[in-house]
Amino acid sequence: MPNEASPPGVTNTQEEISQEKAAEVLEQIDKESSFRKFDGFWAKVVAAIAITMSIYHFVVASGVFFPTQQDRQSVHLTFLLILTFLLYPMFGKSKKPSLFDLTWFVAVIVSGFLTLFYFEGDFSKSLGISQDIYRGVLAVGCVLALNFLFHSACKKKRSSGPSLFDLVWLTCSVVSSLYIFFYFEEFITRQTPIPRDIWMGVVLIACVLEATRRSVGKELVILSLVFLAYGFWGQNLPEFLGEIVHRGFTLRRIIWQTYLSSEGIFGIALDISSTYIFLFVLFGAFLSETGMGAFIKDFAMCLAGRTIGGEAKVSIVTCGLMGMINGSAVGNVAATGTFTIPMMRLAGFKPVFSAALVAAAGTGGMIMPPVMGAASFIMAEYLQMHYSLIMLAAAIPAILYYLSQYVYVHVEARKLGMTRVPSDKITPMMTVLRRQGYMIVPVAVIVYLLVIGRTPLYAAFYGIVSSLGITTVVSLWRDFTGEEFVKLRRSPASFSPVPLVKFLWHGHSGTIVKAYVRALEQGARQSVSVGVACAVVGTINSITNLSGLGFTLGNAIVSLAAGSVFFTAFFTTILSIILGMGLPTTACYIITATIAAPPLIKLGVNPLAAHMFVYYFACLSNLTPPVAIASYGAAGLSGQNPSEVGWAGFRIALAGFIIPFTFIYAPALLFVGDLLSIVLATTTATIGVVAAALAMQSYFFAPLTTPQRLLLFVGAFCLIFPETYTDIAGLGIISGIAIMQKWQLLHKTS
């Protein structure tokens, strides 16, 4: 029998199967979700550490005590690395490292460090070790590495706890990270790194790289190693590369920049991770664990279910709202696809289309305010703007992105001859609000506090407090107004505290307390990959700033584009998509913003528009073939071909790809400028996005001919440029096609 709370046509069995498959897909597709599963003692240890981490950040946000920026970052990074080496296995899930694996890792690390020290003559001499010894040990390390390549094997055996090597990594990370906590003041006093500082820096960089490999993926590690190698040996590059060749930097200088300065690991990105990002991730965990997801599903059904193709439109609305509590495109797809994909398939939509729509809509959750992806908070810091302005700027583009998909779905439903979802299968709006409407309160609190100018940290803190307060009150109300409490009052022991506590613990109140504990643990778990990415990006930023590479590459992009804003934006798009193939959105945004945003600003693009452009495509890289991670997740849920789903999702969202180019030329879409310019830009962009969606479907009032479809594309692209003549041309083309279609329909009818 269908569950009363389930969407129409989705049975309990289907939903349970989908959730199991969602977990499997997340582990296979999303590196960030591939957690090691512990039992017994180690499960309790991990939970205790995660809960402690959440409580620490919550207490710091409350203002009970005020650690320095370095202390806060040091403790934050220590928690991140501890959880990484406990939660993420060293050689993949359910694999236990063999002796050869350990040999390989020791060989690689030792060889790498000794290679660096070999080129650092002064440092090696200060240790009293000759170059001959270095060569000998390095040769041994290479032999051991080759031994691994020929003989490595991993026994597929589930481990009940972390391996010895995990604990070694964990210990090294704790010592090297907390070194900043205990010795930073000493370093500030002497202002000169000593050998102990260098060793601690080398160890922490190695730990951060290994943590990144486990929790994020090897791509970001490789990119970081390339930048570090460029810092050491950039002076040996061919001369024809021009300004990219630098004078070279010593190990001491690079470690100082990466480990001991505010432009490296302990830089802006990690600082934002330790404050805004963590608190908003924790806020999302509280919303998720206390029932926000169920409310969003029911609310979306009420909003969009009564329209033609309502099952698919519910998916769009759900993904947009779910983005508030899930900052990952793949996570959003997994959370919403568990019920929207079966619902769309049962309604008559093709399986590939159903999966592709969830991927496209799920990706958009990262650009939907008020709570956007983690990189949006870093953007606010880069631009030195209040987050509320970022949130406001993202509003119109996000609405246009989902409008294009709404139009695409509506046309698809009309082509398939679909009708509205029967009203008796949709829970009335007032019933949903009466049962679950209190879930809106925490989100409303955050929006209100941001709008009146409070900091994101303040807003997130009181958002969590309001979530705790409202859910506790509702749970107590349900317990004390239920039939079970009436029975308890009639019993002889009704005034004894023990029966009352047992009653509350087994009722709604006990359930909500358990949900709070789960939220504290899940919030810390979900912050690990984002936080580690923010840390490792610091190594890239340190070399970029030290060598001036960002400025050099920016000038190269401008020269390659011949000073054209359009081609500079186009090259920036390509860079974002390429980086997005292997990097998480946050890392992709930080790197691209460092390299590509300055050239756009140099050419006269509004700084907010330039950074929003980079952020937008960093998010859309999750949907762009050939490596469309969000589409792969949706394909795994639906059992369809990943390539087919990837290209179908790209087609559905293609109209949305126009939007960033629109606000590059018309920043009024970001609420920059006067009211008239904002209204005009929004109007033309809306028409252009709708026209592009109709052209993608090859359907207006009736099927489009090939020339009509091409002209409709031209009209849509004309509306990108905020010039009077292009707007007139675009509107004229679109109006002409509309009139032509109407005339054809009237002629056909007559």
Side-chain angles (χ1 to χ4, degrees):
M1 292 292 290
N3 188 340
E4 184 180 346
S6 299
V10 182
T11 65
N12 283 337
T13 303
Q14 289 171 319
E15 190 171 0
E16 288 172 3
I17 293 174
S18 297
Q19 289 172 351
E20 292 171 2
K21 186 177 288 187
E24 181 181 345
V25 168
L26 278 174
E27 292 174 0
Q28 293 177 351
I29 302 298
D30 191 12
K31 180 79 172 178
E32 301 172 6
S33 301
S34 184
F35 293 129
R36 177 191 277 140
K37 295 181 180 178
F38 290 124
D39 298 318
F41 171 76
W42 282 107
K44 295 176 182 178
V45 170
V46 171
I49 294 172
I51 292 170
T52 303
M53 180 183 184
S54 294
I55 292 174
Y56 167 79
H57 286 83
F58 186 76
V59 172
V60 169
S62 70
V64 172
F65 65 96
F66 300 94
T68 64
Q69 178 178 332
Q70 288 75 21
D71 289 349
R72 184 181 64 245
Q73 292 182 22
S74 175
V75 173
H76 177 67
L77 183 58
T78 301
F79 274 121
L80 290 175
L81 294 177
I82 290 174
L83 287 177
T84 299
F85 292 124
L86 289 177
L87 288 174
Y88 293 93
M90 184 172 174
F91 291 99
K93 190 175 181 181
S94 69
K95 290 183 179 181
K96 188 176 181 180
S98 66
L99 177 61
F100 296 109
D101 299 325
L102 303 184
T103 302
W104 170 75
F105 236 89
V106 172
V108 170
I109 292 172
V110 171
S111 301
F113 289 170
L114 293 180
T115 300
L116 297 182
F117 297 157
Y118 178 81
F119 287 97
E120 184 62 22
D122 294 337
F123 183 69
S124 62
K125 291 177 183 177
S126 68
L127 297 177
I129 302 176
S130 68
Q131 297 291 327
D132 292 335
I133 295 178
Y134 271 119
R135 293 191 188 97
V137 178
L138 183 59
V140 173
C142 292
V143 171
L144 293 176
L146 290 173
N147 178 57
F148 166 79
L149 292 176
F150 285 106
H151 301 287
S152 64
C154 289
K155 299 177 182 179
K156 295 186 177 180
K157 179 180 179 182
R158 180 169 178 171
S159 177
S160 59
S163 67
L164 176 61
F165 210 52
D166 291 328
L167 298 179
V168 171
W169 276 114
L170 190 152
T171 303
C172 291
S173 63
V174 170
V175 172
S176 57
S177 182
L178 289 182
Y179 179 80
I180 294 293
F181 183 88
F182 291 106
Y183 291 98
F184 189 77
E185 292 296 330
E186 177 187 320
F187 171 76
I188 292 297
T189 302
R190 49 184 163 78
Q191 286 293 312
T192 302
I194 59 178
R196 184 183 64 195
D197 299 333
I198 304 301
W199 277 111
M200 288 294 104
V202 170
V203 171
L204 184 66
I205 291 172
C207 290
V208 169
L209 290 174
E210 169 61 6
T212 304
R213 186 190 69 83
R214 294 188 185 202
S215 62
V216 180
K218 61 182 180 296
E219 295 83 3
L220 188 52
V221 175
I222 293 172
L223 186 63
S224 179
L225 289 173
V226 168
F227 272 80
L228 288 172
Y230 170 74
F232 279 106
W233 299 297
Q235 74 276 17
N236 298 321
L237 293 172
E239 293 184 0
F240 69 83
L241 293 176
E243 295 182 358
I244 292 180
V245 182
H246 58 74
R247 60 185 175 85
F249 303 99
T250 63
L251 175 70
R252 186 186 301 271
R253 184 71 179 89
I254 289 177
I255 294 300
W256 183 89
Q257 180 80 6
T258 304
Y259 179 58
L260 297 170
S261 78
S262 60
E263 295 181 351
I265 291 175
F266 297 99
I268 291 176
L270 188 64
D271 188 49
I272 299 302
S273 172
S274 68
T275 52
Y276 306 157
I277 293 176
F278 187 90
L279 261 290
F280 273 96
V281 170
L282 185 60
F283 172 71
F286 270 96
L287 290 184
S288 180
E289 293 294 338
T290 55
M292 186 63 167
F295 169 69
I296 286 175
K297 295 174 185 178
D298 295 338
F299 187 70
M301 180 60 73
C302 293
L303 285 180
R306 292 181 172 84
T307 60
I308 296 175
E311 294 88 351
K313 294 173 183 176
V314 165
S315 177
I316 295 174
V317 176
T318 303
C319 288
L321 296 176
M322 196 70 76
M324 294 188 300
I325 64 176
N326 196 320
S328 164
V330 179
N332 200 355
V333 167
T336 58
T338 53
F339 79 99
T340 55
I341 291 177
M343 183 170 62
M344 284 189 282
R345 293 177 64 172
L346 289 171
F349 288 100
K350 296 178 181 178
V352 170
F353 175 87
S354 301
L357 179 62
V358 170
T363 301
M366 303 181 72
I367 59 175
M368 174 60 76
V371 183
M372 301 157 63
S376 61
F377 299 103
I378 298 175
M379 187 200 309
E381 191 69 21
Y382 280 172
L383 293 171
Q384 292 296 295
M385 298 176 66
H386 192 273
Y387 178 73
S388 61
L389 298 177
I390 303 294
M391 183 177 71
L392 182 65
I396 295 176
I399 293 171
L400 291 177
Y401 178 83
Y402 280 113
L403 175 64
S404 68
Q405 295 179 20
Y406 190 93
V407 172
Y408 193 99
V409 165
H410 185 78
V411 174
E412 182 74 13
R414 292 291 297 270
K415 288 163 68 175
L416 294 174
M418 292 185 173
T419 58
R420 293 176 174 83
V421 178
S423 298
D424 60 346
K425 292 187 176 182
I426 300 176
T427 306
M429 176 68 79
M430 292 308 299
T431 302
V432 172
L433 293 177
R434 187 170 60 252
R435 291 176 181 172
Q436 303 167 290
Y438 64 91
M439 296 301 305
I440 300 175
V441 173
V443 178
V445 168
I446 278 192
V447 173
Y448 171 74
L449 292 175
L450 289 173
V451 168
I452 66 173
R454 299 293 186 178
T455 66
L457 187 66
Y458 184 96
F461 174 77
Y462 280 100
I464 295 172
V465 170
S466 63
S467 177
L468 289 167
I470 192 67
T471 51
T472 299
V473 169
V474 170
S475 298
L476 289 172
W477 173 264
R478 288 175 175 173
D479 280 334
F480 288 129
T481 57
E483 295 181 0
E484 294 298 324
F485 182 69
V486 175
K487 295 178 182 178
L488 179 65
R489 290 182 59 187
R490 294 173 181 172
S491 66
S494 60
F495 296 101
S496 175
V498 175
L500 180 61
V501 170
K502 288 183 178 180
F503 164 74
L504 292 175
W505 181 251
H506 293 291
H508 295 282
S509 301
T511 302
I512 205 66
V513 169
K514 296 171 186 175
Y516 295 157
V517 175
R518 289 196 305 271
L520 290 171
E521 181 181 357
Q522 291 302 316
R525 282 172 170 255
Q526 293 167 13
S527 69
V528 169
S529 58
V530 175
V532 169
C534 288
V536 78
V537 165
T539 64
I540 298 173
N541 281 344
S542 68
I543 301 300
T544 301
N545 295 330
L546 187 63
S547 64
L549 181 63
F551 180 78
T552 302
L553 291 179
N555 287 337
I557 291 175
V558 174
S559 300
L560 185 63
S564 167
V565 173
F566 178 82
F567 284 109
T568 302
F570 177 75
F571 292 141
T572 301
T573 301
I574 300 301
L575 178 62
S576 297
I577 291 173
I578 291 174
L579 289 176
M581 289 180 182
L583 306 186
T585 301
T586 303
C588 180
Y589 165 74
I590 293 173
I591 297 170
T592 312
T594 303
I595 296 173
L600 289 171
I601 297 171
K602 183 178 180 180
L603 292 175
V605 175
N606 181 278
L608 175 59
H611 278 266
M612 191 65 75
F613 182 90
V614 170
Y615 174 72
Y616 208 102
F617 277 108
C619 295
L620 291 181
S621 64
N622 289 282
L623 193 64
T624 309
V627 184
I629 300 299
S631 295
Y632 293 170
L637 289 177
S638 61
Q640 302 302 306
N641 183 283
S643 179
E644 292 181 7
V645 174
W647 286 107
F650 180 72
R651 286 194 299 272
I652 292 173
L654 187 60
F657 280 70
I658 299 174
I659 299 168
F661 287 93
T662 304
F663 59 67
I664 278 287
Y665 290 98
L669 276 180
L670 306 179
F671 284 98
V672 176
D674 58 86
L675 180 61
L676 179 60
S677 62
I678 293 172
V679 172
L680 288 176
T682 303
T683 302
T684 55
T686 301
I687 297 172
V689 164
V690 171
L694 294 173
M696 286 303 302
Q697 279 283 31
S698 190
Y699 194 96
F700 204 135
F701 297 114
L704 293 167
T705 63
T706 300
Q708 288 175 339
R709 189 182 187 188
L710 293 175
L711 282 173
L712 196 57
F713 270 123
V714 172
F717 281 102
C718 281
L719 294 174
I720 293 176
F721 304 96
E723 300 291 340
T724 304
Y725 67 91
T726 55
D727 286 346
I728 293 174
L731 292 173
I733 292 172
I734 295 171
S735 300
I737 294 175
I739 293 171
M740 190 183 304
Q741 286 256 300
K742 279 291 188 183
W743 182 83
Q744 289 175 346
L745 286 175
L746 290 173
H747 182 73
K748 186 176 181 180
T749 304
S750 61

